[in-house]
PDB file of all heavy atoms in Angstrom:
ATOM      1  N   LEU A   1      11.840   1.180  12.197  1.00  0.00           N
ATOM      2  CA  LEU A   1      10.704   1.717  12.943  1.00  0.00           C
ATOM      3  C   LEU A   1      10.393   3.154  12.538  1.00  0.00           C
ATOM      4  O   LEU A   1       9.247   3.484  12.205  1.00  0.00           O
ATOM      5  CB  LEU A   1      10.996   1.646  14.438  1.00  0.00           C
ATOM      6  CG  LEU A   1       9.881   2.145  15.350  1.00  0.00           C
ATOM      7  CD1 LEU A   1       8.696   1.187  15.306  1.00  0.00           C
ATOM      8  CD2 LEU A   1      10.371   2.317  16.780  1.00  0.00           C
ATOM      9  N   ILE A   2      11.395   4.006  12.550  1.00  0.00           N
ATOM     10  CA  ILE A   2      11.148   5.427  12.277  1.00  0.00           C
ATOM     11  C   ILE A   2      10.768   5.645  10.821  1.00  0.00           C
ATOM     12  O   ILE A   2       9.864   6.436  10.511  1.00  0.00           O
ATOM     13  CB  ILE A   2      12.393   6.267  12.644  1.00  0.00           C
ATOM     14  CG1 ILE A   2      12.753   6.058  14.120  1.00  0.00           C
ATOM     15  CG2 ILE A   2      12.119   7.739  12.386  1.00  0.00           C
ATOM     16  CD1 ILE A   2      14.069   6.696  14.530  1.00  0.00           C
ATOM     17  N   ASP A   3      11.445   4.953   9.917  1.00  0.00           N
ATOM     18  CA  ASP A   3      11.122   5.086   8.500  1.00  0.00           C
ATOM     19  C   ASP A   3       9.676   4.679   8.242  1.00  0.00           C
ATOM     20  O   ASP A   3       8.968   5.307   7.446  1.00  0.00           O
ATOM     21  CB  ASP A   3      12.071   4.218   7.668  1.00  0.00           C
ATOM     22  CG  ASP A   3      11.931   4.489   6.184  1.00  0.00           C
ATOM     23  OD1 ASP A   3      12.574   5.419   5.676  1.00  0.00           O
ATOM     24  OD2 ASP A   3      11.149   3.772   5.531  1.00  0.00           O
ATOM     25  N   THR A   4       9.216   3.649   8.938  1.00  0.00           N
ATOM     26  CA  THR A   4       7.834   3.202   8.780  1.00  0.00           C
ATOM     27  C   THR A   4       6.856   4.269   9.234  1.00  0.00           C
ATOM     28  O   THR A   4       5.844   4.532   8.574  1.00  0.00           O
ATOM     29  CB  THR A   4       7.594   1.906   9.570  1.00  0.00           C
ATOM     30  OG1 THR A   4       8.437   0.882   9.046  1.00  0.00           O
ATOM     31  CG2 THR A   4       6.151   1.465   9.455  1.00  0.00           C
ATOM     32  N   PHE A   5       7.121   4.889  10.365  1.00  0.00           N
ATOM     33  CA  PHE A   5       6.238   5.956  10.847  1.00  0.00           C
ATOM     34  C   PHE A   5       6.145   7.097   9.833  1.00  0.00           C
ATOM     35  O   PHE A   5       5.061   7.627   9.571  1.00  0.00           O
ATOM     36  CB  PHE A   5       6.738   6.499  12.185  1.00  0.00           C
ATOM     37  CG  PHE A   5       6.580   5.547  13.340  1.00  0.00           C
ATOM     38  CD1 PHE A   5       7.472   5.565  14.394  1.00  0.00           C
ATOM     39  CD2 PHE A   5       5.544   4.633  13.378  1.00  0.00           C
ATOM     40  CE1 PHE A   5       7.341   4.694  15.475  1.00  0.00           C
ATOM     41  CE2 PHE A   5       5.395   3.757  14.445  1.00  0.00           C
ATOM     42  CZ  PHE A   5       6.287   3.789  15.493  1.00  0.00           C
ATOM     43  N   LEU A   6       7.282   7.467   9.269  1.00  0.00           N
ATOM     44  CA  LEU A   6       7.291   8.575   8.318  1.00  0.00           C
ATOM     45  C   LEU A   6       6.613   8.188   7.005  1.00  0.00           C
ATOM     46  O   LEU A   6       5.860   8.980   6.428  1.00  0.00           O
ATOM     47  CB  LEU A   6       8.728   9.032   8.066  1.00  0.00           C
ATOM     48  CG  LEU A   6       9.453   9.642   9.272  1.00  0.00           C
ATOM     49  CD1 LEU A   6      10.866  10.056   8.888  1.00  0.00           C
ATOM     50  CD2 LEU A   6       8.692  10.843   9.824  1.00  0.00           C
ATOM     51  N   GLU A   7       6.900   6.982   6.511  1.00  0.00           N
ATOM     52  CA  GLU A   7       6.257   6.514   5.285  1.00  0.00           C
ATOM     53  C   GLU A   7       4.741   6.436   5.478  1.00  0.00           C
ATOM     54  O   GLU A   7       3.962   6.787   4.586  1.00  0.00           O
ATOM     55  CB  GLU A   7       6.798   5.139   4.889  1.00  0.00           C
ATOM     56  CG  GLU A   7       8.231   5.125   4.411  1.00  0.00           C
ATOM     57  CD  GLU A   7       8.409   5.724   3.033  1.00  0.00           C
ATOM     58  OE1 GLU A   7       7.412   6.178   2.436  1.00  0.00           O
ATOM     59  OE2 GLU A   7       9.547   5.742   2.545  1.00  0.00           O
ATOM     60  N   SER A   8       4.323   5.955   6.644  1.00  0.00           N
ATOM     61  CA  SER A   8       2.897   5.840   6.925  1.00  0.00           C
ATOM     62  C   SER A   8       2.224   7.210   6.946  1.00  0.00           C
ATOM     63  O   SER A   8       1.106   7.373   6.450  1.00  0.00           O
ATOM     64  CB  SER A   8       2.690   5.132   8.268  1.00  0.00           C
ATOM     65  OG  SER A   8       1.335   5.023   8.582  1.00  0.00           O
ATOM     66  N   SER A   9       2.906   8.197   7.509  1.00  0.00           N
ATOM     67  CA  SER A   9       2.365   9.558   7.542  1.00  0.00           C
ATOM     68  C   SER A   9       2.209  10.110   6.127  1.00  0.00           C
ATOM     69  O   SER A   9       1.184  10.714   5.775  1.00  0.00           O
ATOM     70  CB  SER A   9       3.282  10.464   8.365  1.00  0.00           C
ATOM     71  OG  SER A   9       2.818  11.794   8.357  1.00  0.00           O
ATOM     72  N   PHE A  10       3.225   9.873   5.291  1.00  0.00           N
ATOM     73  CA  PHE A  10       3.181  10.311   3.896  1.00  0.00           C
ATOM     74  C   PHE A  10       2.053   9.593   3.151  1.00  0.00           C
ATOM     75  O   PHE A  10       1.260  10.209   2.425  1.00  0.00           O
ATOM     76  CB  PHE A  10       4.528  10.012   3.235  1.00  0.00           C
ATOM     77  CG  PHE A  10       4.589  10.353   1.784  1.00  0.00           C
ATOM     78  CD1 PHE A  10       4.771  11.659   1.365  1.00  0.00           C
ATOM     79  CD2 PHE A  10       4.480   9.358   0.817  1.00  0.00           C
ATOM     80  CE1 PHE A  10       4.826  11.975   0.014  1.00  0.00           C
ATOM     81  CE2 PHE A  10       4.531   9.656  -0.529  1.00  0.00           C
ATOM     82  CZ  PHE A  10       4.710  10.968  -0.924  1.00  0.00           C
ATOM     83  N   PHE A  11       1.983   8.309   3.354  1.00  0.00           N
ATOM     84  CA  PHE A  11       0.957   7.462   2.748  1.00  0.00           C
ATOM     85  C   PHE A  11      -0.435   7.964   3.122  1.00  0.00           C
ATOM     86  O   PHE A  11      -1.329   8.091   2.277  1.00  0.00           O
ATOM     87  CB  PHE A  11       1.207   6.046   3.269  1.00  0.00           C
ATOM     88  CG  PHE A  11       0.337   4.957   2.699  1.00  0.00           C
ATOM     89  CD1 PHE A  11      -0.523   5.178   1.635  1.00  0.00           C
ATOM     90  CD2 PHE A  11       0.395   3.679   3.228  1.00  0.00           C
ATOM     91  CE1 PHE A  11      -1.311   4.168   1.129  1.00  0.00           C
ATOM     92  CE2 PHE A  11      -0.384   2.660   2.729  1.00  0.00           C
ATOM     93  CZ  PHE A  11      -1.242   2.908   1.683  1.00  0.00           C
ATOM     94  N   HIS A  12      -0.633   8.278   4.401  1.00  0.00           N
ATOM     95  CA  HIS A  12      -1.942   8.673   4.917  1.00  0.00           C
ATOM     96  C   HIS A  12      -2.437   9.966   4.274  1.00  0.00           C
ATOM     97  O   HIS A  12      -3.646  10.167   4.111  1.00  0.00           O
ATOM     98  CB  HIS A  12      -1.861   8.844   6.435  1.00  0.00           C
ATOM     99  CG  HIS A  12      -3.161   9.220   7.077  1.00  0.00           C
ATOM    100  ND1 HIS A  12      -4.244   8.369   7.102  1.00  0.00           N
ATOM    101  CD2 HIS A  12      -3.560  10.351   7.706  1.00  0.00           C
ATOM    102  CE1 HIS A  12      -5.247   8.959   7.726  1.00  0.00           C
ATOM    103  NE2 HIS A  12      -4.869  10.160   8.098  1.00  0.00           N
ATOM    104  N   GLN A  13      -1.535  10.824   3.904  1.00  0.00           N
ATOM    105  CA  GLN A  13      -1.934  12.120   3.371  1.00  0.00           C
ATOM    106  C   GLN A  13      -2.132  12.139   1.866  1.00  0.00           C
ATOM    107  O   GLN A  13      -2.884  12.967   1.357  1.00  0.00           O
ATOM    108  CB  GLN A  13      -0.889  13.168   3.761  1.00  0.00           C
ATOM    109  CG  GLN A  13      -0.843  13.415   5.254  1.00  0.00           C
ATOM    110  CD  GLN A  13       0.191  14.457   5.602  1.00  0.00           C
ATOM    111  OE1 GLN A  13      -0.039  15.640   5.433  1.00  0.00           O
ATOM    112  NE2 GLN A  13       1.330  14.012   6.084  1.00  0.00           N
ATOM    113  N   TYR A  14      -1.468  11.245   1.151  1.00  0.00           N
ATOM    114  CA  TYR A  14      -1.497  11.337  -0.301  1.00  0.00           C
ATOM    115  C   TYR A  14      -2.240  10.191  -0.990  1.00  0.00           C
ATOM    116  O   TYR A  14      -2.896  10.395  -2.004  1.00  0.00           O
ATOM    117  CB  TYR A  14      -0.079  11.428  -0.842  1.00  0.00           C
ATOM    118  CG  TYR A  14       0.603  12.710  -0.455  1.00  0.00           C
ATOM    119  CD1 TYR A  14       1.479  12.771   0.624  1.00  0.00           C
ATOM    120  CD2 TYR A  14       0.340  13.899  -1.157  1.00  0.00           C
ATOM    121  CE1 TYR A  14       2.083  13.964   0.996  1.00  0.00           C
ATOM    122  CE2 TYR A  14       0.941  15.097  -0.793  1.00  0.00           C
ATOM    123  CZ  TYR A  14       1.812  15.118   0.283  1.00  0.00           C
ATOM    124  OH  TYR A  14       2.400  16.298   0.653  1.00  0.00           O
ATOM    125  N   TYR A  15      -2.137   8.969  -0.443  1.00  0.00           N
ATOM    126  CA  TYR A  15      -2.795   7.823  -1.081  1.00  0.00           C
ATOM    127  C   TYR A  15      -4.126   7.576  -0.373  1.00  0.00           C
ATOM    128  O   TYR A  15      -4.266   6.673   0.443  1.00  0.00           O
ATOM    129  CB  TYR A  15      -1.890   6.599  -1.024  1.00  0.00           C
ATOM    130  CG  TYR A  15      -0.616   6.777  -1.808  1.00  0.00           C
ATOM    131  CD1 TYR A  15       0.502   7.388  -1.250  1.00  0.00           C
ATOM    132  CD2 TYR A  15      -0.531   6.362  -3.136  1.00  0.00           C
ATOM    133  CE1 TYR A  15       1.671   7.568  -1.972  1.00  0.00           C
ATOM    134  CE2 TYR A  15       0.632   6.542  -3.873  1.00  0.00           C
ATOM    135  CZ  TYR A  15       1.726   7.142  -3.283  1.00  0.00           C
ATOM    136  OH  TYR A  15       2.886   7.320  -4.014  1.00  0.00           O
ATOM    137  N   THR A  16      -5.108   8.373  -0.710  1.00  0.00           N
ATOM    138  CA  THR A  16      -6.339   8.439   0.076  1.00  0.00           C
ATOM    139  C   THR A  16      -7.518   7.702  -0.565  1.00  0.00           C
ATOM    140  O   THR A  16      -8.551   7.511   0.078  1.00  0.00           O
ATOM    141  CB  THR A  16      -6.747   9.903   0.292  1.00  0.00           C
ATOM    142  OG1 THR A  16      -6.831  10.559  -0.967  1.00  0.00           O
ATOM    143  CG2 THR A  16      -5.718  10.608   1.163  1.00  0.00           C
ATOM    144  N   LYS A  17      -7.420   7.329  -1.826  1.00  0.00           N
ATOM    145  CA  LYS A  17      -8.501   6.603  -2.497  1.00  0.00           C
ATOM    146  C   LYS A  17      -8.246   5.105  -2.342  1.00  0.00           C
ATOM    147  O   LYS A  17      -7.326   4.562  -2.933  1.00  0.00           O
ATOM    148  CB  LYS A  17      -8.571   6.988  -3.976  1.00  0.00           C
ATOM    149  CG  LYS A  17      -8.986   8.420  -4.228  1.00  0.00           C
ATOM    150  CD  LYS A  17      -8.875   8.783  -5.700  1.00  0.00           C
ATOM    151  CE  LYS A  17      -9.811   7.960  -6.551  1.00  0.00           C
ATOM    152  NZ  LYS A  17      -9.740   8.361  -7.980  1.00  0.00           N
ATOM    153  N   ILE A  18      -9.059   4.440  -1.535  1.00  0.00           N
ATOM    154  CA  ILE A  18      -8.847   3.026  -1.252  1.00  0.00           C
ATOM    155  C   ILE A  18      -9.938   2.186  -1.908  1.00  0.00           C
ATOM    156  O   ILE A  18     -11.103   2.563  -1.921  1.00  0.00           O
ATOM    157  CB  ILE A  18      -8.820   2.767   0.268  1.00  0.00           C
ATOM    158  CG1 ILE A  18      -8.671   1.266   0.558  1.00  0.00           C
ATOM    159  CG2 ILE A  18     -10.062   3.302   0.953  1.00  0.00           C
ATOM    160  CD1 ILE A  18      -8.500   0.951   2.021  1.00  0.00           C
ATOM    161  N   SER A  19      -9.534   1.062  -2.489  1.00  0.00           N
ATOM    162  CA  SER A  19     -10.515   0.154  -3.083  1.00  0.00           C
ATOM    163  C   SER A  19     -10.040  -1.279  -2.912  1.00  0.00           C
ATOM    164  O   SER A  19      -8.840  -1.554  -2.824  1.00  0.00           O
ATOM    165  CB  SER A  19     -10.734   0.470  -4.567  1.00  0.00           C
ATOM    166  OG  SER A  19      -9.505   0.424  -5.278  1.00  0.00           O
ATOM    167  N   LEU A  20     -10.993  -2.183  -2.827  1.00  0.00           N
ATOM    168  CA  LEU A  20     -10.728  -3.616  -2.733  1.00  0.00           C
ATOM    169  C   LEU A  20     -11.074  -4.237  -4.079  1.00  0.00           C
ATOM    170  O   LEU A  20     -12.166  -4.019  -4.604  1.00  0.00           O
ATOM    171  CB  LEU A  20     -11.570  -4.246  -1.631  1.00  0.00           C
ATOM    172  CG  LEU A  20     -11.538  -5.769  -1.518  1.00  0.00           C
ATOM    173  CD1 LEU A  20     -10.152  -6.251  -1.095  1.00  0.00           C
ATOM    174  CD2 LEU A  20     -12.593  -6.252  -0.530  1.00  0.00           C
ATOM    175  N   LYS A  21     -10.156  -5.001  -4.643  1.00  0.00           N
ATOM    176  CA  LYS A  21     -10.359  -5.582  -5.961  1.00  0.00           C
ATOM    177  C   LYS A  21     -10.306  -7.105  -5.897  1.00  0.00           C
ATOM    178  O   LYS A  21      -9.485  -7.679  -5.175  1.00  0.00           O
ATOM    179  CB  LYS A  21      -9.273  -5.093  -6.926  1.00  0.00           C
ATOM    180  CG  LYS A  21      -9.251  -3.582  -7.143  1.00  0.00           C
ATOM    181  CD  LYS A  21     -10.445  -3.114  -7.950  1.00  0.00           C
ATOM    182  CE  LYS A  21     -10.353  -1.633  -8.272  1.00  0.00           C
ATOM    183  NZ  LYS A  21     -11.489  -1.156  -9.075  1.00  0.00           N
ATOM    184  N   ASN A  22     -11.173  -7.742  -6.670  1.00  0.00           N
ATOM    185  CA  ASN A  22     -11.116  -9.182  -6.874  1.00  0.00           C
ATOM    186  C   ASN A  22     -10.439  -9.469  -8.208  1.00  0.00           C
ATOM    187  O   ASN A  22     -10.522  -8.656  -9.135  1.00  0.00           O
ATOM    188  CB  ASN A  22     -12.528  -9.784  -6.880  1.00  0.00           C
ATOM    189  CG  ASN A  22     -13.218  -9.615  -5.546  1.00  0.00           C
ATOM    190  OD1 ASN A  22     -12.634  -9.851  -4.500  1.00  0.00           O
ATOM    191  ND2 ASN A  22     -14.481  -9.189  -5.581  1.00  0.00           N
ATOM    192  N   THR A  23      -9.772 -10.614  -8.307  1.00  0.00           N
ATOM    193  CA  THR A  23      -9.072 -10.945  -9.535  1.00  0.00           C
ATOM    194  C   THR A  23      -9.711 -12.141 -10.231  1.00  0.00           C
ATOM    195  O   THR A  23     -10.383 -12.961  -9.606  1.00  0.00           O
ATOM    196  CB  THR A  23      -7.588 -11.271  -9.248  1.00  0.00           C
ATOM    197  OG1 THR A  23      -7.525 -12.389  -8.353  1.00  0.00           O
ATOM    198  CG2 THR A  23      -6.887 -10.087  -8.637  1.00  0.00           C
ATOM    199  N   ARG A  24      -9.459 -12.238 -11.532  1.00  0.00           N
ATOM    200  CA  ARG A  24      -9.972 -13.364 -12.307  1.00  0.00           C
ATOM    201  C   ARG A  24      -9.013 -14.552 -12.236  1.00  0.00           C
ATOM    202  O   ARG A  24      -9.421 -15.697 -12.360  1.00  0.00           O
ATOM    203  CB  ARG A  24     -10.152 -12.944 -13.767  1.00  0.00           C
ATOM    204  CG  ARG A  24     -11.213 -11.880 -13.982  1.00  0.00           C
ATOM    205  CD  ARG A  24     -11.019 -11.181 -15.310  1.00  0.00           C
ATOM    206  NE  ARG A  24      -9.754 -10.436 -15.327  1.00  0.00           N
ATOM    207  CZ  ARG A  24      -9.235  -9.897 -16.422  1.00  0.00           C
ATOM    208  NH1 ARG A  24      -9.847 -10.030 -17.583  1.00  0.00           N
ATOM    209  NH2 ARG A  24      -8.097  -9.233 -16.375  1.00  0.00           N
ATOM    210  N   LYS A  25      -7.745 -14.255 -12.062  1.00  0.00           N
ATOM    211  CA  LYS A  25      -6.725 -15.294 -11.956  1.00  0.00           C
ATOM    212  C   LYS A  25      -6.017 -15.133 -10.615  1.00  0.00           C
ATOM    213  O   LYS A  25      -5.926 -14.020 -10.089  1.00  0.00           O
ATOM    214  CB  LYS A  25      -5.712 -15.168 -13.100  1.00  0.00           C
ATOM    215  CG  LYS A  25      -6.326 -15.356 -14.476  1.00  0.00           C
ATOM    216  CD  LYS A  25      -5.273 -15.153 -15.566  1.00  0.00           C
ATOM    217  CE  LYS A  25      -5.908 -15.293 -16.950  1.00  0.00           C
ATOM    218  NZ  LYS A  25      -4.907 -15.058 -18.035  1.00  0.00           N
ATOM    219  N   PRO A  26      -5.505 -16.224 -10.052  1.00  0.00           N
ATOM    220  CA  PRO A  26      -4.892 -16.125  -8.715  1.00  0.00           C
ATOM    221  C   PRO A  26      -3.639 -15.265  -8.701  1.00  0.00           C
ATOM    222  O   PRO A  26      -2.845 -15.266  -9.629  1.00  0.00           O
ATOM    223  CB  PRO A  26      -4.573 -17.585  -8.365  1.00  0.00           C
ATOM    224  CG  PRO A  26      -4.545 -18.296  -9.674  1.00  0.00           C
ATOM    225  CD  PRO A  26      -5.530 -17.605 -10.551  1.00  0.00           C
ATOM    226  N   LEU A  27      -3.487 -14.508  -7.614  1.00  0.00           N
ATOM    227  CA  LEU A  27      -2.334 -13.645  -7.422  1.00  0.00           C
ATOM    228  C   LEU A  27      -1.202 -14.404  -6.740  1.00  0.00           C
ATOM    229  O   LEU A  27      -1.428 -15.290  -5.926  1.00  0.00           O
ATOM    230  CB  LEU A  27      -2.706 -12.451  -6.545  1.00  0.00           C
ATOM    231  CG  LEU A  27      -3.746 -11.472  -7.097  1.00  0.00           C
ATOM    232  CD1 LEU A  27      -4.138 -10.475  -6.017  1.00  0.00           C
ATOM    233  CD2 LEU A  27      -3.208 -10.755  -8.319  1.00  0.00           C
ATOM    234  N   ILE A  28       0.012 -14.020  -7.074  1.00  0.00           N
ATOM    235  CA  ILE A  28       1.179 -14.453  -6.324  1.00  0.00           C
ATOM    236  C   ILE A  28       1.663 -13.264  -5.504  1.00  0.00           C
ATOM    237  O   ILE A  28       1.226 -12.132  -5.703  1.00  0.00           O
ATOM    238  CB  ILE A  28       2.309 -14.963  -7.243  1.00  0.00           C
ATOM    239  CG1 ILE A  28       2.839 -13.814  -8.132  1.00  0.00           C
ATOM    240  CG2 ILE A  28       1.828 -16.132  -8.094  1.00  0.00           C
ATOM    241  CD1 ILE A  28       4.060 -14.194  -8.958  1.00  0.00           C
ATOM    242  N   THR A  29       2.565 -13.517  -4.565  1.00  0.00           N
ATOM    243  CA  THR A  29       3.219 -12.422  -3.854  1.00  0.00           C
ATOM    244  C   THR A  29       4.697 -12.780  -3.726  1.00  0.00           C
ATOM    245  O   THR A  29       5.153 -13.743  -4.343  1.00  0.00           O
ATOM    246  CB  THR A  29       2.539 -12.140  -2.496  1.00  0.00           C
ATOM    247  OG1 THR A  29       3.087 -10.940  -1.940  1.00  0.00           O
ATOM    248  CG2 THR A  29       2.701 -13.286  -1.523  1.00  0.00           C
ATOM    249  N   SER A  30       5.443 -12.018  -2.948  1.00  0.00           N
ATOM    250  CA  SER A  30       6.892 -12.209  -2.964  1.00  0.00           C
ATOM    251  C   SER A  30       7.527 -11.774  -1.654  1.00  0.00           C
ATOM    252  O   SER A  30       6.846 -11.370  -0.711  1.00  0.00           O
ATOM    253  CB  SER A  30       7.511 -11.404  -4.115  1.00  0.00           C
ATOM    254  OG  SER A  30       7.456 -10.007  -3.830  1.00  0.00           O
ATOM    255  N   ASP A  31       8.858 -11.848  -1.618  1.00  0.00           N
ATOM    256  CA  ASP A  31       9.600 -11.367  -0.453  1.00  0.00           C
ATOM    257  C   ASP A  31       9.683  -9.843  -0.435  1.00  0.00           C
ATOM    258  O   ASP A  31      10.299  -9.248   0.445  1.00  0.00           O
ATOM    259  CB  ASP A  31      10.993 -11.996  -0.400  1.00  0.00           C
ATOM    260  CG  ASP A  31      11.773 -11.835  -1.703  1.00  0.00           C
ATOM    261  OD1 ASP A  31      11.377 -11.000  -2.550  1.00  0.00           O
ATOM    262  OD2 ASP A  31      12.772 -12.565  -1.898  1.00  0.00           O
ATOM    263  N   ASN A  32       9.053  -9.195  -1.405  1.00  0.00           N
ATOM    264  CA  ASN A  32       8.957  -7.731  -1.479  1.00  0.00           C
ATOM    265  C   ASN A  32       7.527  -7.404  -1.924  1.00  0.00           C
ATOM    266  O   ASN A  32       7.288  -7.009  -3.057  1.00  0.00           O
ATOM    267  CB  ASN A  32       9.984  -7.193  -2.476  1.00  0.00           C
ATOM    268  CG  ASN A  32      10.054  -5.678  -2.488  1.00  0.00           C
ATOM    269  OD1 ASN A  32       9.483  -5.006  -1.644  1.00  0.00           O
ATOM    270  ND2 ASN A  32      10.748  -5.136  -3.480  1.00  0.00           N
ATOM    271  N   PRO A  33       6.528  -7.614  -1.043  1.00  0.00           N
ATOM    272  CA  PRO A  33       5.128  -7.721  -1.475  1.00  0.00           C
ATOM    273  C   PRO A  33       4.413  -6.443  -1.881  1.00  0.00           C
ATOM    274  O   PRO A  33       3.428  -6.502  -2.613  1.00  0.00           O
ATOM    275  CB  PRO A  33       4.444  -8.343  -0.259  1.00  0.00           C
ATOM    276  CG  PRO A  33       5.285  -7.947   0.913  1.00  0.00           C
ATOM    277  CD  PRO A  33       6.689  -7.898   0.403  1.00  0.00           C
TER     278      PRO A  33
END
């Protein structure tokens, strides 16, 4: 819980350029997405 709050705060301040992308081939995901 606490690590998530701190990571989110860090994320909010530095990773500020957001974009939505479409792919040409289907994506997979994982147990570590």
Side-chain angles (χ1 to χ4, degrees):
L1 181 70
I2 302 172
D3 189 85
T4 298
F5 290 149
L6 295 180
E7 291 287 1
S8 179
S9 177
F10 177 79
F11 185 8
H12 181 66
Q13 294 180 78
Y14 293 98
Y15 296 85
T16 54
K17 293 173 63 178
I18 177 174
S19 56
L20 173 67
K21 299 289 185 179
N22 296 315
T23 60
R24 295 160 295 170
K25 298 177 182 178
L27 296 172
I28 64 174
T29 189
S30 71
D31 52 15
N32 187 10

